[in-house]
Structures are given as C-alpha cells and as structure tokens.
Amino acid sequence: MHRLITTREAAELLRVTPRTIARQVADGKLVPLEKLPGRNGAYLFDGEKIDALAAATASKAN
C-alpha cells in the first residue's frame, strides 16, 4: 500500500513551493496517485516515489 502525502508535504520534501508542484503536475513532470474531488481538490502523491525523487535531486546538488 502506498504512503500518501499531500502537495504541501511533497513540496517540503523536494524543497520547492506547492505552486511548483502544481506546475509540474500540469506539465506532466510529476504524476499524482489521486486528485481529491472538487475544483481545488488536493493532489495525493506516493510518498516513497517523492522520497526517491528528493534523494536523487539532493545527490545531483552535491
């Protein structure tokens, strides 16, 4: 089972703003597992995939 995290949590792990996460979703660069109902429904992401992306991004920065 996936560990679901919110846009805000994903942004914190990736050290970007929630708006950047929303742009990446809109551009197809980041794929959420779910979008909650409603026009402003939150995106939910696989926490393990976001952790891996954060680790890869951190290793590139070093």
Side-chain angles (χ1 to χ4, degrees):
M1 185 169 183
H2 299 283
R3 174 177 59 97
L4 298 178
I5 62 171
T6 64
T7 298
R8 178 168 297 189
E9 292 168 322
E12 289 173 1
L13 289 168
L14 295 172
R15 297 180 184 225
V16 297
T17 66
R19 180 68 189 123
T20 297
I21 298 293
R23 273 195 306 271
Q24 290 179 343
V25 169
D27 293 345
K29 295 178 182 176
L30 196 58
V31 180
L33 287 176
E34 287 185 55
K35 180 186 180 300
L36 297 181
R39 179 180 166 137
N40 295 323
Y43 293 114
L44 297 176
F45 298 92
D46 181 341
E48 289 149 16
K49 287 186 179 181
I50 298 297
D51 287 340
L53 182 58
T57 301
S59 69
K60 285 182 184 178
N62 293 330

